Structure formats: structure tokens, C-alpha cells
Amino acid sequence: VQLQASGGGLAQPGGSLRLSCAASGSGFRLNSMGWHRQGPGNQRELVASITRAGNTNYADSAKGRFTISRDNAKNTVYLQMNSLKPEDTAVYYCETDYMIFDPTPIAGRAWGQGTLVTVSS
């Protein structure tokens, strides 16, 4: 399973960005999917996650501003980020816990390459 993230860029404070992350490969089932971020000098932290059934979890810093969603048919997870703040500046990474049927089930975790979000005026 490979993840390809896109949608990062420069936004002004108060602006919006939408990140996308598409999974590719064959014979897999994606379970939970999530977005993490790592800002300058900080450790990587979970921003939001979503189960296959659509149950979501958010970091306190993301609640009320960010929305995670997924399209299981497209094997894609999204992160809509509104009311962006300078402290949201970070490299954002998508990840997924998956199962491959080969033919016995094999569990794994995959990470995307990261996409840079910069919030600045």
C-alpha cells in the first residue's frame, strides 16, 4: 500500500486548505486513516483520524476547525482545514492501518510522504 498526499501550500491566517491522500496498490482493505503533523522543532502529533465506518477523532487543536472525511470507493482520505493559524504550519502526513489478503490476512501501516502547509500573512 502506498499513500500519496497532496493539497498543501501557503495560506493566510483565517484561510482554508484541503488535503487529500490517496492509497494505491492491490488486494488491500483500509481500516483507520489519519492525518498527523510535525511542526518546526516539534514531535509528530495526531491531528485527526477516521475509522472505516466514519467515526472520527480530533486533536483539541483541530476541533471545530478541521474536518476529516474519507471516500472508501476511492481509497482516499481528506482533511478540510478552516480558520488556519500560524501554529498550524507543519508538514502533514497521512497514514493508514490496512489489511492485505495474500491470501492470508497481513496487517500493516503505511505513511504518505508529507505535504507542507504554511500559514503566514
Side-chain angles (χ1 to χ4, degrees):
V1 176
Q2 292 187 326
L3 298 178
Q4 180 68 45
S6 61
L10 176 64
Q12 292 189 338
S16 299
L17 284 174
R18 188 189 194 212
L19 307 182
S20 299
C21 178
S24 61
S26 61
F28 63 86
R29 170 191 166 99
L30 302 179
N31 294 323
S32 67
M33 303 186 79
W35 289 95
H36 301 246
R37 69 185 181 186
Q38 186 166 14
N42 296 333
Q43 291 187 329
R44 190 174 297 190
E45 62 178 357
L46 175 68
V47 176
S49 64
I50 184 168
T51 68
R52 186 172 181 83
N55 298 310
T56 58
N57 179 56
Y58 294 93
D60 287 344
S61 60
K63 289 177 181 177
R65 300 188 301 125
F66 294 1
T67 302
I68 190 170
S69 61
R70 64 189 287 172
D71 185 331
N72 290 333
K74 296 181 179 180
N75 292 317
T76 300
V77 63
Y78 306 96
L79 185 68
Q80 177 67 43
M81 303 186 293
N82 299 328
S83 302
L84 284 164
K85 304 175 182 180
E87 50 263 44
D88 294 319
T89 296
V91 177
Y92 285 70
Y93 299 90
C94 55
E95 60 85 14
T96 184
D97 290 322
Y98 62 84
M99 193 74 72
I100 290 179
F101 303 93
D102 192 26
T104 58
I106 300 173
R109 171 169 283 189
W111 288 86
Q113 84 284 7
T115 184
L116 177 63
V117 171
T118 302
V119 183
S120 175
S121 56

